[in-house]
Amino acid sequence: MAENYDVIVIGAGPGGYVCAIRAAQLGLKTACVEMRETLGGTCLNIGCIPSKALLQSSELFEEANHKFADHGIGVAGLTLDLARMQARRAEVVTANVKGIEFLFRKNKVTWLKGRGRIAGPGQVEVNGETYGAKNIVIATGSESTPLRGVEVDEKRIVTSTGGLELDKVPGHLVVIGGGVIGLELGSVWRRLGAEVTVVEFLDHIVPGTDREVGKTFERILGKQGLKFRLKTKVTAAEKGEDGVTLTLEPAAGGEAETLKADVVLLSIGRRAFADGLGAAEAGVALDERGRVKTDAHYATSVPGIYAIGDVIAGPMLAHKAEEEGVAVAEIIAGQAGHVNYDAIPAVVYTWPEVASVGQTEEQLKEKGVAYKVGKFPFTANGRARAMGDTDGFVKILADAKTDRVLGAHIIGPDAGTLIAELVMAIEFGASSEDVARTCHAHPSLNEAVKEAALAVEGRALHI
Ligand code: FAD
Ligand code: NAI
């Protein structure tokens, strides 16, 4: 046995690296296995961080192109240096992943470089060495879901990984899947000059989002120039000299047609990744979708082996993985780690942003919960007007009897930041009255949240 640890975490994404840091903070001798050249997992290397870098750059370009004039600012000879934009994206990633290496050193977490395999109970093998582990945490994340007939080469048919690294703005980008990745990356390339068509199987985009918000989102993105082909499926993709020819069919079946693309982005979801881990061989039970099965305390079917993040059930979000990482480290250390799944925000970082927490109206109706709705549009918010960003609204759903906040949905400027106070409201069990009676700075976008809370009882002041 090479060395013994209290905890070995397999995977250094937001779930794994945070778990390792928390375990080390709690005095446990901890190692984290990562096979990538850098720490940070999908999120820091090929997900959240690079996509937000490009969203930021492309939004600035869009503003200079289309919004500055409104403010009386003229920009003559605006140019796009995509190579520099991409280099900046890479720099942002490098700074972030190096930051995790620093945190590992600071907290005395050992990085075992290589592919980790569960060799037996309490044993992890990395590069031919076997390490002892009183506890093993599986945090191996997820990968892009493939689609039959659409063969990814990461050049012309790309997943988000290739879609973040294009060295040329495509003439026509066809996105398969109108979910978070498709709309974020679709927005990036549209802003930089591509024609973008989103092919979506369902009759609406962003499934699972509050429908009223989803419909507004679709309309706003449409106004920005994104084209939607709803209720449509892609059955084949053929690469030729001059791009890719896709075969489309109505989702319900029917006559096929073709659509030409320079680049195709496949973004129909992600699936749990546990390849080569030896989990199943070690007796760790997986569910029907290949996710590691856990109980409420992240324990798998094998004592001493836990799992967290994208590889288990639940929303595939970095902050959800992080919360689970902290919780499982605390559980292993004998504390009462816990995650409140009612208070996990979800944000789409387009412009406007879409942010939500808790229940949607559709979910409340389905559960038969009586609720009240308070809504406030950004057109009536002074700060949004000053910014010239008045698209969207705040919507708060409160229990009809107790007034407790059950859900909140925001589409509008900086919605991803605004949602935080409503996540806190749900976490603290606040009522809409509590939010309505809290003083909010003027003039701020947050006032729209207060006004939506006032609107729950029909007493918004500025509309
Ligand atoms: P991962 O981040 O996938 O990390 C798992 C790590 O385990 C990987 O580094 C992998 O190399 C390693 N690994 C796997 N198997 C082994 C093995 N056997 N041995 C050693 N190492 C192994 N979420 C958000 O909340 N906000 C966003 O804005 C956001 N944007 C995204 C944008 C894109 C384009 C994508 C693809 C995802 C985005 N996500 C976002 C989702 C987010 O990236 C994931 O939810 C998050 O990374 C999950 O963390 P994790 O730790 O479970 O797994
Ligand atoms: P997604 O689940 O968000 O969206 C997939 C979309 O594809 C859905 O609208 C679905 O109906 C559609 N679809 C499925 N099969 C299809 C088919 N055959 N043809 C056409 N459409 C089809 O998945 P996405 O966008 O790939 O992202 C994966 C995950 O990554 C997200 O669920 C999210 O958890 C995470 N992510 C989070 C981000 C954030 O928090 N801002 C950003 C990017 C990704």
Side-chain angles (χ1 to χ4, degrees):
M1 197 79 71
E3 195 158 4
N4 288 314
Y5 290 92
D6 294 319
V7 183
I8 295 184
V9 183
I10 306 178
Y17 85 70
V18 165
C19 175
I21 291 173
R22 185 72 188 119
Q25 281 178 347
L26 290 164
L28 300 167
K29 187 178 174 195
T30 306
C32 185
V33 192
E34 175 56 60
M35 62 188 180
R36 208 184 280 274
E37 291 297 308
T38 50
L39 300 173
T42 302
C43 178
L44 275 66
N45 289 283
I46 51 165
C48 327
I49 298 302
S51 61
K52 269 75 245 179
L54 285 188
L55 278 156
Q56 184 68 24
S57 300
S58 61
E59 180 56 23
L60 290 177
F61 184 66
E62 169 111 327
E63 285 182 10
N65 240 330
H66 300 295
K67 293 188 185 167
F68 278 16
D70 272 357
H71 295 261
I73 305 169
V75 264
L78 186 70
T79 58
L80 171 65
D81 180 351
L82 184 59
R84 174 65 206 126
M85 198 180 277
Q86 290 290 29
R88 179 186 175 277
R89 168 191 50 76
E91 287 158 18
V92 171
V93 167
T94 302
N96 274 274
V97 298
K98 288 279 172 213
I100 310 302
E101 276 186 50
F102 163 78
L103 291 174
F104 270 17
R105 281 195 301 274
K106 181 179 165 216
N107 289 283
K108 301 195 171 43
V109 173
T110 305
W111 174 8
L112 300 174
K113 295 184 188 182
R115 182 180 274 263
R117 195 179 66 84
I118 300 171
Q123 288 183 8
V124 176
E125 191 189 287
V126 187
N127 290 333
E129 296 274 17
T130 304
Y131 298 86
K134 286 190 198 133
N135 301 279
I136 297 170
V137 179
I138 301 172
T140 48
S142 63
E143 61 177 357
S144 182
T145 304
L147 179 62
R148 196 195 307 215
V150 180
E151 201 184 309
V152 170
D153 60 14
E154 296 296 9
K155 294 275 176 249
R156 284 185 295 170
I157 302 186
V158 298
T159 65
S160 51
T161 304
L164 285 163
E165 290 178 357
L166 301 179
D167 56 10
K168 199 171 145 228
V169 179
H172 186 201
L173 172 70
V174 175
V175 174
I176 309 179
V180 197
I181 290 180
L183 300 177
E184 287 189 353
L185 284 186
S187 290
V188 164
W189 295 108
R190 181 204 55 76
R191 292 168 187 169
L192 299 180
E195 182 193 342
V196 177
T197 307
V198 178
V199 181
E200 166 59 52
F201 187 81
L202 300 174
D203 64 356
H204 58 276
I205 59 169
V206 283
T209 303
D210 188 90
R211 287 296 295 122
E212 189 181 12
V213 169
K215 275 189 200 146
T216 307
F217 192 31
E218 191 181 317
R219 191 172 41 74
I220 294 172
L221 291 177
K223 266 200 313 193
Q224 293 174 358
L226 246 63
K227 295 197 185 85
F228 293 105
R229 296 290 311 268
L230 303 176
K231 291 194 273 184
T232 304
K233 64 183 175 193
V234 174
T235 53
E238 200 173 315
K239 284 173 226 169
E241 292 284 292
D242 57 344
V244 184
T245 304
L246 293 173
T247 306
L248 311 185
E249 276 178 30
E255 207 167 310
E257 59 175 308
T258 58
L259 182 65
K260 280 252 185 204
D262 296 295
V263 174
V264 174
L265 168 65
L266 180 63
S267 50
I268 59 164
R270 293 180 62 82
R271 64 180 185 187
F273 178 81
D275 291 1
L277 180 65
E281 296 82 338
V284 174
L286 306 181
D287 71 11
E288 69 294 344
R289 288 166 65 181
R291 300 175 298 196
V292 176
K293 270 194 194 172
T294 58
D295 67 10
H297 306 290
Y298 312 104
T300 68
S301 52
V302 178
I305 303 184
Y306 301 83
I308 55 165
D310 278 11
V311 78
I312 70 169
M316 288 180 158
L317 295 171
H319 43 278
K320 175 258 192 191
E322 290 186 37
E323 293 300 320
E324 290 176 345
V326 168
V328 80
E330 292 178 350
I331 289 167
I332 288 170
Q335 300 185 354
H338 166 76
V339 177
N340 177 3
Y341 289 95
D342 290 333
I344 299 202
V347 180
V348 189
Y349 294 89
T350 45
W351 198 263
E353 292 181 348
V354 175
S356 56
V357 61
Q359 306 287 306
T360 62
E361 259 196 89
E362 291 69 36
Q363 285 170 329
L364 292 174
K365 277 184 192 142
E366 200 181 303
K367 290 177 187 160
V369 177
Y371 63 93
K372 301 175 285 187
V373 185
K375 255 174 54 177
F376 190 80
F378 283 103
T379 42
N381 175 271
R383 186 64 183 281
R385 280 184 173 277
M387 290 167 66
D389 271 311
T390 51
D391 274 341
F393 56 86
V394 178
K395 173 173 175 178
I396 294 177
L397 305 170
D399 189 287
K401 277 200 224 84
T402 64
D403 192 37
R404 194 178 171 134
V405 178
L406 300 175
H409 308 278
I410 309 179
I411 176 164
D414 271 333
T417 307
L418 298 181
I419 199 74
E421 68 168 299
L422 293 161
V423 177
M424 188 93 87
I426 291 183
E427 183 69 34
F428 287 4
S431 61
S432 77
E433 184 75 14
D434 290 326
V435 179
R437 291 207 174 264
T438 302
C439 181
H440 287 67
H442 177 75
S444 67
L445 294 171
N446 303 67
E447 285 175 294
V449 173
K450 177 188 172 90
E451 290 275 1
L454 282 166
V456 170
E457 291 297 344
R459 52 184 226 273
L461 294 162
H462 290 88
I463 196 154

